[in-house]
């Protein structure tokens, strides 16, 4: 594969609702550009993008694929992202390194939830957006209808760039609205059909008018009544796209290969070059620098995707600045260590092609980096740069994992490390309160697939369950008790007596131990023994087996024996006195309360808020934005552990939400006694 200069590279990420045809479009581009010589089909499981076993069996994309195509002397790095909300992490990775987000829309269905998500993510990432209306071969596909819908939904200027040519039901090709030439998918450019003249005139007027909006000078010229040349219109659209004021709309059919070649040419002519994107990095000493795609600039190549399979590690990088050589020894500014590049490559269909270097603006792959993870930057040691990282959403769904065999126990930790390193939206942790190993992600499909992957790649077998809720124990008022430990069965005796008071503390203040002993009822050396005894209880709890938090324990009196009092005696007395005092101090269970932001199409507002109230949810606010309702609410974690699945079913997959821990609150008393009883039962079973 030839080497391309920065201005001859285009980086785009394909985003959009699942099933709109992103993977098929990427496949069509690979095929039309000659990167592959057989057009694969998603249904047949033989596309270049969806090659993973899980992707083939589910006929949907799960991973971000890097699919470079060579077209008219340029290199188009096409990133095919999944559409399903569970795999948002991959969408964000793709967006991070792309210079344009191409949002693909099914021309017969119009805007769907996935379209809205893609739009929002692209806007948040401040990337220019272009639209590709796919499936225009379908009889009910309509540019006019989708354009109207887009204009009614998103607040920006949409410019139709092409008009479909139909002969009856059949989609024959497109008319370029700037040149007014037709494309029929065969590479020929005949004149547009004569009977479309009125329609072309109507749509071309929009292109000219909106194209002028992209550039203030053109705008003046246009309002002065002057004709704009084709070049000026193109320039206006390019400028407007780059600044985010204009969203061009292209059309085609990925499976019929109509509009695909023209779209690639448009990517070169209309979409911004890598130099249009600026990215912030932190330099030595913490100062911020802005990097631009300059091959002669300081080296900054950032890993945006890592695959750990049974053969080792593959990393994909975008070179933000400088030039990375295939035999370089760059410095990883995060791990603070040197890495060895043993050759760079570009994927070409299912194969890999070696390349000598990656210039600024390009995307390249490398195998077997030892210390480099997703998000890290490779740079020069003398100029350690850290390029800003993607901000990922908080997890929404967790499962508890228990290894099946002893061998699985040993594999659990390393497998989790590798799978979570590959996908930063997956997290694993040990929950001390419930003594469970958790795998957290964006939804049911996300964590289920991760578990399957660990099985097929690393041979790890686990049982999965809904996690136990990490309750905590505390007290609601002051209570006191005393305990005497006395043992005189042969040998040396044990004696210790402790009088203790337990008081509630504010949330988050933790445990505190104090003594009010004056005059030597208990001598000084035994006070730490008592504290040690109490600490044995803090992790395992008093009423239901959960950690004790936010209490103060005060020893205020006691007794000792000149011979039999010793460390162990006061540990036991302290522990037992604490348990009794805790019981006397109105013990309560605390449960985690989550902050939620739920976005749903307006028509589901009633159903979703009704459902929340059955989950002990509290509505905090409600807002109407672009046909959607945004609900802010709080609800106990115990009620919403499976909310991602439930919301999907209430809203037919059209609702999304985020959540994070807000605070802990007492569990209603009737529920607390049930939880305590259940915990006692489980303890007996153990
Ligand atoms: N009729 C028609 N079907 C298409 C077109 N593009 C994709 N499809 C079909 O739509 C389905 C989903 O396509 P896929 O590429 O997996 O969509 P993705 O989820 O956006 O990647 C598959 O069955 C494709 O064959 C198109 O242009 N026309
Ligand atoms: Mg796909």
């Amino acid at each position: 594969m030839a080497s391309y200069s920065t201005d001859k590279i285009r980086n785009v990420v394909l985003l959009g609702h699942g099933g709109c045809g992103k993977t098929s479009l990427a496949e069509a581009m690979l095929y039309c550009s000659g990167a592959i010589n057989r057009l694969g089909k998603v249904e047949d499981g033989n596309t270049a993008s969806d090659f993973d076993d899980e992707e083939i069996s589910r006929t949907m994309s799960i991973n971000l694929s890097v699919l470079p195509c060579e077209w008219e002397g340029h290199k188009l790095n096409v990133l095919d992202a999944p559409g399903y909300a569970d795999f948002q992490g991959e969408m964000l990775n793709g967006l991070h390194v792309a210079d344009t987000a191409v949002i693909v829309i099914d021309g017969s269905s119009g805007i769907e939830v996935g379209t809205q998500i893609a739009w929002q993510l692209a806007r948040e990432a401040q990337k220019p957006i272009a639209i590709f209306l796919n499936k225009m071969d379908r009889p009910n596909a309509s540019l006019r209808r989708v354009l109207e819908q887009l204009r009614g939904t998103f607040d920006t200027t949409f410019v139709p760039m092409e008009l479909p040519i139909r002969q009856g039901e059949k989609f024959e090709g497109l008319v370029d609205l700037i040149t007014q030439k037709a494309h029929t998918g065969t590479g020929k450019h005949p004149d547009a059909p004569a009977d479309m003249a009125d329609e072309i005139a109507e749509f071309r007027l929009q292109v000219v008018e909106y194209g002028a909006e992209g550039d203030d000078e053109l705008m003046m010229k246009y309002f002065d009544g002057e004709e704009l040349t084709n070049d000026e219109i193109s320039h206006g659209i390019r400028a407007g796209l780059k600044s985010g004021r204009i969203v061009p709309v292209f059309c085609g059919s990925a499976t019929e290969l109509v509009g695909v070649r023209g779209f690639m040419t448009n990517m070169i002519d209309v979409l911004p070059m890598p130099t249009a994107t600026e990215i912030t990095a932190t330099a030595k000493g913490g100062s911020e620098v802005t990097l631009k795609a300059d091959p002669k600039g300081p080296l900054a190549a950032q890993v945006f995707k890592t695959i750990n399979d049974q053969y080792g590690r593959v990393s994909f990088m975008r070179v933000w600045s400088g030039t990375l050589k295939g035999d370089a020894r760059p410095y990883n500014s995060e791990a603070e260590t040197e890495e060895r590049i043993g050759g760079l490559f570009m994927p070409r269909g299912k194969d890999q092609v070696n390349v000598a270097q990656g210039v600024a603006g390009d995307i390249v792959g490398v195998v077997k980096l030892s210390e480099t993870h997703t998000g890290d930057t490779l740079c020069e040691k003398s100029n350690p740069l850290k390029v800003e990282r993607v901000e990922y959403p908080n997890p929404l769904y967790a499962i508890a994992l228990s290894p099946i065999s002893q061998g699985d126990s040993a594999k659990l930790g390393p497998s989790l490390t590798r799978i979570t390193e590959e996908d930063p939206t997956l997290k694993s942790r040990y929950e001390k309160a419930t003594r469970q190993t958790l795998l957290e992600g964006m939804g049911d499909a996300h964590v289920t697939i991760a578990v399957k992957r660990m099985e097929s790649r690393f041979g790890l077998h686990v049982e999965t369950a809904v996690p136990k809720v990490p309750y905590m124990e505390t007290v609601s008022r002051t209570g006191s008790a005393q305990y005497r430990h006395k043992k005189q069965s042969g040998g040396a005796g044990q004696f210790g007596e402790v009088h203790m008071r337990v008081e509630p503390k504010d949330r988050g203040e933790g445990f505190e131990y104090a003594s009010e002993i004056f005059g030597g009822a208990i001598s000084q050396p035994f006070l730490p023994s008592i504290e040690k005894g109490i600490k044995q209880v803090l992790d395992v709890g008093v009423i239901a087996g959960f950690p004790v938090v936010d209490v103060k324990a005060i020893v205020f009196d006691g007794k000792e024996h000149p011979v039999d009092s010793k460390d162990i005696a006061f540990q036991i007395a302290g522990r037992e006195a604490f348990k009794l005092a805790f019981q006397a101090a109105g013990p309560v269970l605390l449960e985690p309360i989550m902050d939620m932001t739920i976005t749903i199409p307006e028509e589901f507002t009633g159903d979703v808020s009704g459902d929340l109230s059955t989950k002990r949810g509290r509505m905090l606010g409600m807002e109407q934005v672009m046909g959607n309702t945004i609900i802010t609410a709080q609800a106990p974690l115990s009620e919403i552990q499976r909310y991602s699945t439930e919301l999907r079913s209430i809203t037919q997959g059209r609702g999304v939400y985020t959540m994070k821990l807000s605070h802990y609150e007492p569990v209603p008393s009737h529920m607390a006694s049930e939880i305590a009883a259940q915990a006692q039962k489980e303890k007996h079973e153990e």
Side-chain angles (χ1 to χ4, degrees):
M1 190 177 266
S3 177
Y4 292 89
S5 55
T6 302
D7 60 324
K8 297 234 156 44
I9 296 168
R10 298 291 180 276
N11 299 306
V12 303
V13 60
L14 304 181
L15 297 176
H17 193 75
C20 63
K22 299 175 289 299
T23 300
S24 307
L25 178 60
E27 184 78 7
M29 290 198 264
L30 288 171
Y31 178 75
C32 291
S33 65
I36 53 175
N37 43 34
R38 187 163 159 256
L39 183 70
K41 283 206 180 103
V42 174
E43 293 84 354
D44 299 343
N46 59 358
T47 62
S49 177
D50 288 359
F51 55 82
D52 175 296
D53 291 345
E54 279 296 320
E55 296 185 310
I56 294 171
S57 69
R58 290 174 187 249
T59 61
M60 79 177 186
S61 309
I62 295 167
N63 309 306
L64 180 72
S65 300
V66 181
L67 306 161
C69 311
E70 295 170 282
W71 188 248
E72 294 173 357
H74 287 66
K75 182 173 173 224
L76 313 176
N77 287 314
V78 177
L79 302 167
D80 177 27
Y84 198 60
D86 277 30
F87 308 107
Q88 230 188 75
E90 290 287 71
M91 302 181 206
L92 291 169
N93 291 337
L95 256 172
H96 184 64
V97 296
D99 301 306
T100 312
V102 172
I103 299 182
V104 180
I105 299 178
D106 178 335
S108 59
S109 328
I111 297 175
E112 298 173 85
V113 214
T115 322
Q116 303 248 17
I117 296 174
W119 185 272
Q120 200 181 335
L121 295 179
R123 277 295 194 224
E124 280 166 11
Q126 299 184 334
K127 298 287 167 138
I129 300 174
I131 300 247
F132 185 85
L133 280 195
N134 189 36
K135 305 199 187 181
M136 294 307 286
D137 55 304
R138 289 204 167 166
N140 57 345
S142 160
L143 168 67
R144 197 181 284 274
R145 197 184 60 236
V146 182
L147 256 183
E148 251 169 47
Q149 205 188 6
L150 284 167
R151 288 175 176 152
T153 311
F154 305 114
D155 189 16
T156 195
T157 303
F158 291 93
V159 183
M161 303 293 289
E162 297 164 322
L163 200 57
I165 305 170
R166 285 181 186 285
Q167 296 292 345
E169 294 282 88
K170 200 157 162 15
F171 175 46
E172 298 258 293
L174 297 160
V175 179
D176 182 314
L177 286 168
I178 297 181
T179 62
Q180 305 186 61
K181 292 277 179 203
H183 305 272
T184 52
T186 54
K188 296 203 185 75
H189 304 290
D191 287 332
D195 60 354
M196 286 180 71
D198 287 351
E199 210 187 351
I200 293 172
E202 175 200 341
F203 278 90
R204 188 161 198 278
L205 190 65
Q206 297 182 16
V207 182
V208 177
E209 192 179 316
Y210 295 140
E213 277 186 22
D215 182 294
D216 293 338
E217 243 172 72
L218 286 181
M219 192 70 153
M220 307 263 282
K221 195 173 166 195
Y222 179 71
F223 278 123
D224 286 345
E226 277 185 63
E227 280 273 330
L228 300 185
T229 65
N230 287 356
D231 282 348
E232 283 173 331
I233 302 169
S234 299
H235 165 77
I237 303 237
R238 271 199 305 271
L241 169 64
K242 209 162 114 180
S243 67
R245 274 147 82 177
I246 280 176
V247 172
V249 180
F250 302 95
C251 301
S253 164
T255 47
E256 302 295 311
L257 302 179
V258 179
V260 176
R261 291 180 177 84
F263 183 56
M264 288 195 283
T265 302
N266 272 313
M267 283 169 76
I268 296 168
D269 293 345
V270 181
L271 304 193
M273 294 181 196
T275 44
T277 307
E278 289 184 344
I279 190 121
T280 312
T282 319
K284 205 185 234 163
S287 62
E288 283 203 345
V289 292
T290 302
L291 299 176
K292 234 180 159 169
D294 174 5
K296 296 204 171 60
L299 178 65
Q302 184 182 32
V303 174
F304 64 95
K305 180 170 177 67
T306 308
I307 305 169
N308 287 317
D309 60 17
Q310 53 273 60
Y311 311 111
R313 184 182 288 163
V314 181
S315 316
F316 286 97
M317 306 177 276
R318 163 151 177 165
V319 184
W320 288 108
S321 163
T323 300
L324 181 66
K325 303 272 184 206
D327 57 356
R329 296 270 186 110
Y331 181 72
N332 178 325
S333 54
E334 196 64 46
E336 301 186 344
T337 178
E338 197 182 85
E339 279 280 14
R340 179 200 295 262
I341 305 282
L344 297 169
F345 73 89
M346 281 171 203
R348 191 169 199 260
K350 287 176 178 67
D351 306 320
Q352 296 180 349
V353 182
N354 291 332
V355 293
Q357 60 178 31
V359 298
D362 206 351
I363 286 172
V364 286
V366 57
V367 290
K368 299 209 164 73
L369 289 180
S370 57
E371 302 292 337
T372 304
H373 306 302
T374 300
D376 293 0
T377 305
L378 298 179
C379 53
E380 283 139 25
K381 192 167 183 187
S382 56
N383 189 1
L385 296 167
K386 287 184 186 173
V387 175
E388 66 180 306
R389 289 165 177 268
V390 176
E391 270 180 47
Y392 298 100
N394 291 319
L396 296 175
Y397 190 95
I399 50 172
L401 305 178
S402 23
I404 291 175
S405 71
Q406 201 111 66
D408 294 323
S409 292
K411 279 183 211 154
L412 184 62
S415 304
L416 284 171
T417 306
R418 287 157 82 181
I419 201 94
T420 52
E421 178 199 305
E422 188 175 308
D423 178 352
T425 54
L426 275 177
K427 294 198 172 73
S428 81
R429 64 189 174 91
Y430 179 73
E431 174 59 69
K432 226 171 96 189
T434 56
R435 292 176 279 282
Q436 288 184 315
T437 300
L438 303 183
L439 180 64
E440 302 174 312
M442 303 309 296
D444 184 8
H446 189 210
V447 290
T448 307
I449 287 170
V451 168
K452 283 200 180 164
R453 255 187 207 162
M454 291 193 288
E455 183 172 330
S456 64
R457 288 195 198 161
F458 314 127
L460 171 76
H461 299 272
V462 289
E463 256 170 41
T464 64
V466 180
K468 292 182 191 160
V469 176
Y471 295 107
M472 300 195 296
E473 300 184 7
T474 193
V475 294
S476 57
R477 55 174 191 267
T478 299
S480 1
Q482 59 189 64
Y483 188 86
R484 172 184 291 181
H485 175 66
K486 193 171 164 191
K487 201 169 136 204
Q488 275 162 331
S489 50
Q494 293 184 3
F495 183 90
E497 183 176 316
V498 172
H499 299 205
M500 195 181 295
R501 190 167 77 241
V502 165
E503 294 174 358
K505 293 187 59 148
D506 285 337
R507 275 307 77 77
E509 287 192 342
F511 172 72
E512 187 187 340
Y513 173 66
S515 155
E516 286 176 3
I517 302 268
F518 299 105
I522 301 175
S523 30
Q524 196 62 36
F526 295 128
L527 293 175
S529 309
I530 297 170
E531 184 176 9
K532 231 181 184 176
I534 300 172
K535 287 201 163 153
Q536 292 164 8
V537 186
L538 293 183
D539 279 352
V540 296
V542 179
I543 51 173
F546 296 101
V548 171
V549 295
D550 306 338
V551 295
K552 183 171 179 180
I554 305 132
V555 195
F556 62 90
D557 203 357
K559 269 199 193 86
E560 63 181 50
H561 182 274
V563 182
D564 291 348
S565 278
K566 48 189 74 163
D567 175 54
I568 184 68
F570 273 102
Q571 279 193 38
I572 296 171
R575 183 184 73 207
E576 297 306 315
F578 178 74
K579 285 190 196 166
L580 292 174
F582 192 93
Q583 296 277 15
V588 285
L589 272 184
L590 298 175
E591 64 177 340
I593 306 290
M594 309 301 283
D595 274 330
M596 310 174 77
T597 306
I598 309 164
T599 307
I600 43 171
E602 250 166 276
E603 66 258 39
F604 297 109
T605 310
D607 291 346
V608 169
S609 50
D611 173 68
L612 269 181
S613 64
T614 68
K615 296 181 153 60
R616 298 191 283 134
R618 273 190 300 260
M619 304 277 272
L620 301 179
M622 208 189 270
E623 205 189 333
Q624 248 68 42
V625 180
M626 296 193 309
N628 285 330
T629 303
I630 302 176
I631 296 175
T632 44
Q634 286 186 336
L637 176 66
S638 63
E639 305 281 349
I640 55 169
Q641 293 215 83
R642 291 297 171 257
Y643 196 62
S644 73
T645 313
E646 290 161 7
L647 181 67
R648 193 165 282 152
S649 87
I650 299 174
T651 62
Q652 293 146 30
R654 299 175 62 200
V656 291
Y657 75 110
T658 60
M659 69 172 187
K660 66 173 200 303
L661 179 66
S662 167
H663 62 280
Y664 276 77
E665 253 176 44
V667 175
S669 57
H670 67 281
M671 301 181 76
S673 42
E674 243 170 65
I675 296 163
Q678 178 67 25
Q680 293 301 337
K681 203 176 121 213
E682 279 172 22
K683 203 168 165 194
H684 282 296
E685 282 167 6
E686 272 176 31

